[in-house]
Amino acid sequence: MKEASSVEITNAEWEIMRIVWTLGAATSKQISQVMAVKKNWKMATTKTLLGRLVTKNYLETTRQGRAFIYRPTVDEQATINQLLEADLRTICQMHTGRSLAEILRKFTFTKHDLQVMQDILQAKMADAPTELPCDCVPAELAPELDHDEQTCCR
């Protein structure tokens, strides 16, 4: 399975990918049945999205009798990681920590996941800077902002 070079999947397409990743391989009928229950989608909607995902090379399809079998061509965790990293890179680095802290407050994690996160945070603590500068506008292009005082993104 290959890694996606950049994530270009809509929210609706993510719904389809989650099903195919979970099942490993599925027919359009199986996927459509799940989506009918989850989102009340019609078969045509599901097939349209399947076609888009095949075109984007996130899914491959093989014919088995009258059915088409869909399989993921990209790794689930790697694709999720790329999406999250891309999203975090769109916000000011001054907000990244606060945003991740809010995610930790809002979501449920296993004890193992929390221990892994705690270990990573502990290792990063030794080299962590006291503050991060705003990276929204280069200082030379906006000298009126006090980048040293970090007032631009508070």
Side-chain angles (χ1 to χ4, degrees):
M1 199 167 296
K2 66 178 180 151
E3 282 192 33
S5 56
S6 67
V7 180
E8 295 178 14
I9 301 177
T10 66
N11 289 341
E13 292 167 347
W14 270 106
E15 293 288 338
I16 301 292
M17 289 302 298
R18 288 178 61 196
I19 294 165
V20 181
W21 277 320
T22 299
L23 298 177
T27 65
S28 57
K29 183 177 179 179
Q30 290 172 310
I31 297 165
S32 184
Q33 287 171 336
V34 173
M35 292 313 301
V37 171
K38 284 180 73 173
K39 299 284 187 179
N40 200 28
W41 287 1
K42 304 289 184 214
M43 172 75 89
T45 302
T46 300
K47 285 187 174 186
T48 297
L49 292 168
L50 285 167
R52 289 180 188 164
L53 288 164
V54 169
T55 299
K56 291 178 179 183
N57 294 315
Y58 287 101
L59 294 177
E60 65 183 6
T61 184
T62 55
R63 190 174 185 111
Q64 189 175 51
R66 292 175 40 116
F68 286 95
I69 309 294
Y70 293 88
R71 288 180 182 77
T73 60
V74 293
D75 179 73
E76 180 178 17
Q77 190 61 57
T79 304
I80 292 168
N81 293 350
Q82 287 177 5
L83 174 74
L84 290 174
E85 284 181 35
D87 283 350
L88 287 173
R89 289 186 197 286
T90 65
I91 64 174
C92 178
Q93 69 180 355
M94 290 175 61
H95 294 279
T96 304
R98 287 178 268 169
S99 298
L100 289 174
E102 188 61 25
I103 287 170
L104 289 174
R105 276 191 273 289
K106 288 185 175 182
F107 288 87
T108 303
F109 301 94
T110 66
K111 289 180 186 272
H112 174 72
D113 290 339
L114 291 170
Q115 185 61 57
V116 168
M117 287 184 255
Q118 199 168 25
D119 293 346
I120 292 168
L121 290 170
Q122 190 62 41
K124 290 183 81 66
M125 185 67 79
D127 298 328
T130 305
E131 295 180 342
L132 291 172
C134 171
D135 62 349
C136 296
V137 179
E140 64 272 11
L141 297 178
E144 69 277 4
L145 294 177
D146 190 351
H147 287 268
D148 291 333
E149 293 296 316
Q150 299 180 352
T151 57
C152 52
C153 284
R154 287 186 185 236

